[in-house]
Amino acid sequence: MEFVSEDRSQGSTRGYPRPQLQRSEWSALDGVWDFAIDRRGELLDPDQVLWERQIQVPFAPETALSGIGDTSFFYATWYRRHFTIPELKPGERLILHFGAVDYAAKVWVNGIEVCVHEGGYTPFSVEITAVLRAQDTQEIIVQAEDDPADLEKPRGKQDWKLEPHSIWYPRTTGIWQTVWMEVVPQVHIESVRWTSSLERWEIGMGVHVKGTLPAGCLLAVRMLTGDQVIVNDTYAFVGGSLGAGSISAGELYRSISLSDPGIDDFRNDLLWSPKKPTIIDVEMTLLDASGATLDAVKSYTALRAITIQGDRFILNGRPLPLHLVLDQGYWEGSGQTAPNDDAFIRDILLVKALGFNGVRKHQKIEDPRFLYWADHLGLLVWEEMPSAYRYTKCSVERLTREWIEVLKRDWNHPCIVSWVPFNESWGVPDLPDSPAQRHYVQALYHLTKTLDPTRPVIGNDGWESVATDMIGIHDYDDQPARIAKRYGIDEVEARLFQFERPGGRMLRLAEGGDRQPIVLTEFGGIALRDDDGRTWGYSVCRTPEDLLERYTTLMEAVRSLSSLAGFCYTQFTDTFQEANGLLYANRTPKISLDSAALATSGFTPDEKDPSVLLWRNRLMELQT
């Protein structure tokens, strides 16, 4: 495993915000913006706003690092930033990007409305070349509407009550991921999609080009692993119907073979896995007929395959036990926004140091920078859609639209090994009795499988499965002996699905067919409680020694269950009032990392392994 660094925009502590499609000319617009809160959402026009405060973007106004720290109810927020445009050559375009704005955004540039977007977890972009002024200084104004009481929108763990309660946390309003801009040529690569096939030893490439393609255009593709060039080829844009090696409306599809005799000796070294996350770096250059460069971008992909065989999760043709931890993605002082890239790296290394090989990102679509580091450091990720909490026509439309945007944004990341559109029947509360709600879950399951047939989909994690590739079960029984008995019985599936009701809920609503992997996707939740009693957990202990003993006993019971394809322990860190993390909210371990790793996986990391030594040294640097 190798730590990968990359150029960063001046003044930014974050890497390229869209890591799967990087260009050289970009700049972050993070930093100080003018700011105003519109508590009742009464303001309709930027001219009505009184700019009396400032905020530190990209931190939400509810957080301390934003400089605002206001956790009260408010319906809308306003942002203003002045900036200087980069030098534009003839024909070049300037694109303004937003990583995420919660929930509905409206954007003006130089007084002209340029775009609107709905969805608090997904990015959006707009070309602003036509509205730029002749003078140096330009102005961006953003209005973000986010009704704190609206339960019909995907909101995840954001509380609808004034004070956080139970397992819900403070709200995230407005801009909470990087705002940035980039210069693109008139004809440019707008998107790329990667797939891989171990059977054919191929990388599938789909490229969409925006702009009018001159006759004779070519796409040069160079692929490398480290310093080893494995592909160096040029592909022509040709007419015809869509398909491998053909082009229509600026799209190029090609299956790229990696079976060159020169690399056969290290084929296995090309495979991506948590223990050896081999990344294939890609350089793509769009050329005109004379060979002149029209556009140049960098991307990356990986060679790996995920399948389900019987009751097991399969990675690269071999069963892989899933040892996951629930990760809610909150940081002290900055809420859902990581303070910098190092925070992502530290979290991933701490997860690995605890003995886990992956995370279930719970009720949050994480920043692409986290996924970039999970790709490069070797961490499996279950990606889960934040829930709405009412079932209405509006909530169905909102969640479906945003889920499609999520899939489009993230399907290139090799670290993502499953999609989860629903959790614990949130947003579909009458699932056992409502055919319409069951059809909704089934529809999202099949839509996800249609858009991405390469990954398993868990239609509704926790219980009441109606369409799924794996059975996810949430069971917070605090007695390891009962857990072992429940999931270690003979003919486990027939008995389990017929008689057991963890949480008082049926585990499967559809009639059983073929055997499927069973994953204990939430359990544990042991809180180390302070003396004032303000913290909460599914069960409680008083000392670190007690926590380690109970965690070890529980994990030994769960690891012994051959009926399970894996597990996901609750949880990685304390999150506000929920104190059941293995780490405190500031990422300080509550128990020894080595002791926890031994309980989690049955062994401690091999200090003689160079990759283990590398990430341990890096973790030590980050911790100090």
Side-chain angles (χ1 to χ4, degrees):
M1 178 175 61
E2 181 179 358
F3 286 90
V4 180
S5 62
E6 55 180 287
D7 293 336
R8 297 185 178 186
S9 172
Q10 184 176 1
S12 175
T13 58
R14 305 166 194 275
Y16 202 99
R18 187 193 55 213
Q20 286 280 357
L21 193 64
Q22 302 185 33
R23 284 190 178 84
S24 58
E25 294 189 51
W26 73 284
S27 55
L29 293 174
D30 295 341
V32 177
W33 290 52
D34 297 325
F35 182 70
I37 291 178
D38 180 8
R39 294 197 178 275
R40 288 180 288 274
E42 297 172 329
L43 305 180
L44 302 177
D45 187 272
D47 292 337
Q48 299 175 302
V49 180
L50 296 177
W51 304 101
E52 298 178 334
R53 311 175 75 175
Q54 290 186 320
I55 189 171
Q56 190 76 24
V57 169
F59 303 109
E62 288 86 355
T63 69
L65 284 186
S66 72
I68 304 297
D70 188 338
T71 59
S72 63
F73 287 144
F74 43 89
Y75 186 88
T77 51
W78 290 80
Y79 298 77
R80 181 177 67 180
R81 162 81 187 241
H82 294 95
F83 70 99
T84 302
I85 62 172
E87 181 180 352
L88 297 178
K89 299 174 185 176
E92 288 186 328
R93 305 287 190 259
L94 186 63
I95 311 294
L96 177 63
H97 298 272
F98 293 85
V101 179
D102 201 348
Y103 168 70
K106 186 179 293 185
V107 182
W108 292 261
V109 175
N110 295 329
I112 300 172
E113 183 180 321
V114 293
C115 73
V116 295
H117 178 263
E118 183 177 322
Y121 294 90
T122 49
F124 60 98
S125 305
V126 59
E127 184 195 329
I128 60 173
T129 317
V131 298
L132 297 175
R133 295 190 290 219
Q135 58 264 46
D136 290 339
T137 303
Q138 317 291 319
E139 180 188 68
I140 303 171
I141 293 179
V142 180
Q143 179 201 42
E145 293 184 349
D146 192 14
D147 182 352
D150 186 352
L151 299 182
E152 293 180 299
K153 66 188 175 192
R155 60 188 297 147
K157 285 298 193 79
Q158 300 182 54
D159 210 327
W160 53 92
K161 295 185 177 181
L162 185 59
E163 298 297 330
H165 79 289
S166 185
I167 56 172
W168 286 274
Y169 315 127
R171 290 159 295 285
T172 298
T173 301
I175 298 172
W176 68 278
Q177 288 184 20
T178 293
V179 183
W180 58 291
M181 58 184 178
E182 68 174 337
V183 177
V184 301
Q186 184 173 0
V187 179
H188 60 273
I189 298 170
E190 187 176 47
S191 65
V192 60
R193 179 169 183 176
W194 302 109
T195 56
S196 65
S197 170
L198 299 192
E199 293 82 3
R200 298 185 300 273
W201 214 254
E202 290 177 345
I203 294 292
M205 177 184 70
V207 177
H208 178 78
V209 177
K210 187 169 185 178
T212 303
L213 281 170
C217 272
L218 302 171
L219 183 69
V221 178
R222 192 166 180 258
M223 293 184 172
L224 309 91
T225 55
D227 296 329
Q228 175 70 45
V229 177
I230 58 175
V231 170
N232 191 5
D233 210 345
T234 303
Y235 306 100
F237 288 83
V238 297
S241 59
L242 290 175
S246 63
I247 173 65
S248 178
E251 292 182 337
L252 173 66
Y253 296 88
R254 178 71 64 174
S255 294
I256 302 174
S257 174
L258 303 179
S259 59
D260 186 283
I263 65 169
D264 283 347
D265 292 341
F266 59 94
R267 272 191 168 203
N268 288 337
D269 289 340
L270 285 178
L271 296 180
W272 186 96
S273 70
K275 290 187 176 180
K276 196 174 188 305
T278 302
I279 293 295
I280 300 174
D281 292 306
V282 186
E283 300 168 358
M284 293 186 290
T285 308
L286 189 63
L287 305 169
D288 67 15
S290 69
T293 297
L294 298 174
D295 190 20
V297 299
K298 292 183 178 180
S299 185
Y300 68 88
T301 184
L303 190 66
R304 64 107 178 89
I306 303 162
T307 56
I308 299 298
Q309 293 180 5
D311 60 355
R312 290 294 174 251
F313 175 90
I314 306 296
L315 176 67
N316 299 334
R318 296 188 178 184
L320 177 69
L322 296 166
H323 293 171
L324 313 178
V325 65
L326 193 79
D327 180 4
Q328 312 220 45
Y330 282 82
W331 287 265
E332 277 194 324
S334 61
Q336 292 196 89
T337 308
N340 48 47
D341 259 30
D342 282 350
F344 290 136
I345 298 171
R346 180 178 63 170
D347 275 10
I348 292 169
L349 297 182
L350 282 167
V351 168
K352 295 171 77 74
L354 288 164
F356 299 99
N357 59 16
V359 294
R360 176 173 165 237
K361 273 292 178 178
H362 185 42
Q363 287 299 291
K364 181 188 181 187
I365 303 302
E366 191 55 271
D367 190 300
R369 295 299 306 170
F370 174 86
L371 300 176
Y372 170 88
W373 287 111
D375 290 337
H376 284 76
L377 300 178
L379 190 76
L380 305 177
V381 177
W382 281 34
E383 184 146 301
E384 176 183 309
M385 183 64 194
S387 296
Y389 292 96
R390 285 182 179 158
Y391 175 76
T392 65
K393 180 177 180 292
C394 177
S395 69
V396 169
E397 291 176 351
R398 285 173 165 180
L399 190 140
T400 302
R401 179 174 59 247
E402 192 166 354
W403 183 236
I404 292 172
E405 291 182 352
V406 168
L407 297 174
K408 183 177 180 180
R409 193 199 79 169
D410 289 345
W411 56 34
N412 279 337
H413 288 282
C415 67
I416 296 177
V417 295
S418 69
W419 303 110
V420 185
F422 292 96
N423 173 72
E424 290 188 350
S425 305
W426 292 350
V428 281
D430 300 318
L431 206 57
D433 302 316
S434 170
Q437 293 185 23
R438 291 198 298 275
H439 291 324
Y440 178 30
V441 175
Q442 292 164 343
L444 262 290
Y445 166 84
H446 289 293
L447 175 63
T448 307
K449 297 291 286 186
T450 299
L451 295 175
D452 180 10
T454 69
R455 293 178 175 95
V457 177
I458 296 84
N460 181 35
D461 200 357
W463 44 62
E464 297 174 347
S465 292
V466 294
T468 193
D469 295 321
M470 295 189 280
I471 304 291
I473 300 175
H474 299 178
D475 189 342
Y476 284 103
D477 193 325
D478 63 356
Q479 298 298 313
R482 287 203 296 255
I483 291 281
K485 182 178 180 181
R486 184 172 298 132
Y487 301 100
I489 55 180
D490 294 335
E491 298 180 354
V492 61
E493 289 199 21
R495 171 83 182 181
L496 184 66
F497 298 141
Q498 185 174 357
F499 296 108
E500 298 291 347
R501 298 287 186 275
R505 311 294 281 269
M506 295 178 64
L507 293 177
R508 188 159 64 184
L509 299 181
E511 291 297 323
D514 296 335
R515 293 194 69 185
Q516 295 177 303
I518 300 172
V519 183
L520 198 57
T521 44
E522 284 189 30
F523 73 106
I526 307 169
L528 182 58
R529 176 168 288 178
D530 55 24
D531 292 334
D532 60 18
R534 292 178 300 172
T535 55
W536 180 89
Y538 292 93
S539 62
V540 176
C541 65
R542 298 290 179 179
T543 67
E545 293 76 16
D546 186 20
L547 174 60
L548 177 59
E549 180 180 355
R550 293 181 61 178
Y551 179 71
T552 299
T553 303
L554 178 60
M555 295 304 290
E556 286 176 347
V558 171
R559 282 193 292 106
S560 69
L561 298 172
S562 60
S563 61
L564 299 181
F567 57 77
C568 178
Y569 180 81
T570 303
Q571 64 176 321
F572 176 45
T573 69
D574 289 354
T575 311
F576 295 96
Q577 71 277 6
E578 194 174 350
N580 49 27
L582 294 171
L583 281 63
Y584 292 103
N586 66 3
R587 275 49 177 178
T588 300
K590 296 179 182 179
I591 55 180
S592 157
L593 293 177
D594 283 349
S595 298
L598 180 61
T600 301
S601 62
F603 58 87
T604 54
D606 182 2
E607 295 186 2
K608 296 180 181 179
D609 185 331
S611 65
V612 171
L613 183 63
L614 181 65
W615 66 252
R616 278 196 164 191
N617 289 341
R618 179 63 169 135
L619 179 57
M620 188 177 298
E621 293 173 6
L622 292 169
Q623 290 290 76
T624 57

